[in-house]
Amino acid sequence: DNHVRSAARGVLRGLHFQLPPRAQGKLVRVAHGAILDVCVDLRDGSPTYGRHAAAELSAANWRQLWIPPGSAHGYVTLEDETEVLYKTTDYYAPEYERSLAWDDPVLAIDWRVSRSDVTLSEKDRKQPRLAELGVVFPPPRRGWSRMRFLLTGGAGFIGSALCRYMVGELKTQIVNVDCLTYASTLTSLAGIADNPLYTFVNANICDRTAMND
């Protein structure tokens, strides 16, 4: 559960999302005041990719908006002293957090607040446009490729080749656990390091605490 208060009209937060495997769905409502709530479809291959939906949520109208995983989310306050509450399907994971420019002209979002009246955080001022994002939510996978694999020692010569093949060719989610000893190196994995399907954990597979985390 999240509870956010904004003192003034025109506070804009977004457009935010988390990469898989920590993608979030959100159920948003307003306890006091009003917002324009916006979600943008970022699912690669979706017929509505790059299109947005928007709804006014307020304490008066009691509406809620479901933001499905695979979407960027943002809102702007339409009244002073606005309080927003939302539930998420996963916890905040800063290493998977990404953002999309709120004012990308391709998105054509009418925020209902003039640009001069918008208040942004420093982080939200400098975010990529849709054309610069690349694939952030790959299409649904079929069969065994829908599973998520744990690979140990995947930074070695053979293991890294397997990682590259499974992520690059089979589009499979991989968690690679390696303590980077002996011949292990991350150099051969640089090509998939930023792929949302790939996660690297620097740990020993025998370390129970690290595996639980």
Side-chain angles (χ1 to χ4, degrees), residues 15 37-55 65-74 100-102 104-111 130-131 133 137:
L15 297 156
D37 207 27
V38 176
C39 69
V40 179
D41 186 0
L42 297 181
R43 298 169 298 168
D44 188 58
S46 168
T48 55
Y49 177 81
R51 294 172 59 184
H52 71 276
L65 186 63
W66 167 245
I67 312 294
S71 304
H73 172 242
L100 173 65
W102 69 278
D104 185 346
V106 171
L107 302 178
I109 300 172
D110 178 6
W111 289 99
L130 184 66
L133 279 186
F137 293 102

Side-chain angles (χ1 to χ4, degrees), residues 129-180:
R129 294 184 175 185
L130 184 66
E132 301 169 318
L133 279 186
V135 177
V136 290
F137 293 102
R141 291 161 289 128
R142 298 179 179 178
W144 67 270
S145 64
R146 294 179 62 88
M147 296 185 287
R148 187 182 183 198
F149 287 84
L150 174 65
L151 183 65
T152 61
F157 178 75
I158 296 175
S160 61
L162 180 60
C163 282
R164 294 194 303 271
Y165 175 72
M166 295 186 75
V167 171
E169 300 297 326
L170 300 183
K171 311 300 182 187
T172 301
Q173 285 191 45
I174 293 288
V175 177
N176 178 13
V177 179
D178 197 307
C179 56
L180 298 179

Side-chain angles (χ1 to χ4, degrees), residues 5 14 19 21-22 25 32 35 47 51 70 74 102 104 142 153 161 192:
R5 174 183 174 274
L19 298 174
R22 302 299 300 274
H32 191 274
I35 65 171
R51 294 172 59 184
W102 69 278
D104 185 346
R142 298 179 179 178
I192 61 170

Side-chain angles (χ1 to χ4, degrees), residues 14-29:
L15 297 156
H16 304 148
F17 59 95
Q18 287 188 180
L19 298 174
R22 302 299 300 274
Q24 290 180 316
K26 299 178 181 178
L27 183 63
V28 187
R29 67 183 181 91

Side-chain angles (χ1 to χ4, degrees), residues 33 39 56 61 78 83 117 166 170 172 181 183 197 204:
C39 69
E56 181 175 333
N61 67 24
L78 300 178
E83 297 185 36
D117 291 333
M166 295 186 75
L170 300 183
T172 301
T181 58
L197 295 175
N204 190 312

